[in-house]
Amino acid sequence: MWSAHHGRLTATETTTRRPWTRLRIVLGCREAGLSLEQTRLVPHRNGSGRDEVIRSQRDQIDRQLTELGITRRFLDHVLTCQHSLMSRCTACSAYART
């Protein structure tokens, strides 16, 4: 909550908000696929292994996004595929080989 103290939070307001900020960070890390052990590293900028954990998870997310993009294009194709059996369609068959 903003106070009338030149747009700054009071000490009480800051103390009240800190646990919620930490909670949002933890939830964000968990949603990004980090384990609880990995999540413990994130808030501490100088923590040993922190950057490696974050980079590794970011790379994993990039791989997942690539795979999702391929799957999305396949599903878009399936919606308009005219073949009576997907195995007769070269595009569907190509996806099955990936």
Side-chain angles (χ1 to χ4, degrees), residues 28-90:
C29 289
R30 297 294 291 145
E31 288 175 6
L34 294 173
S35 69
L36 286 175
E37 188 64 33
Q38 293 168 320
T39 298
R40 285 189 194 117
L41 299 172
V42 173
H44 308 287
R45 177 157 307 282
N46 297 322
S48 175
R50 173 189 185 264
D51 290 352
E52 293 80 11
V53 164
I54 293 170
R55 283 188 187 99
S56 176
Q57 191 60 29
R58 183 191 58 198
D59 293 345
Q60 176 62 28
I61 289 169
D62 287 343
R63 286 188 294 276
Q64 290 173 326
L65 288 171
T66 298
E67 291 172 17
L68 286 171
I70 292 167
T71 302
R72 170 68 185 253
R73 286 186 292 281
F74 167 71
L75 293 175
D76 287 344
H77 168 75
V78 169
L79 286 172
T80 60
C81 184
Q82 300 297 313
H83 292 89
S84 59
L85 290 172
M86 292 174 73
S87 60
R88 293 181 183 162
C89 174
T90 56

Side-chain angles (χ1 to χ4, degrees), residues 4-24:
H5 303 287
H6 306 293
R8 297 185 185 151
L9 296 175
T10 64
T12 302
E13 291 165 332
T14 301
T15 303
T16 302
R17 289 177 64 119
R18 254 187 220 135
W20 293 109
T21 299
R22 285 193 296 266
L23 178 61
R24 283 192 296 271

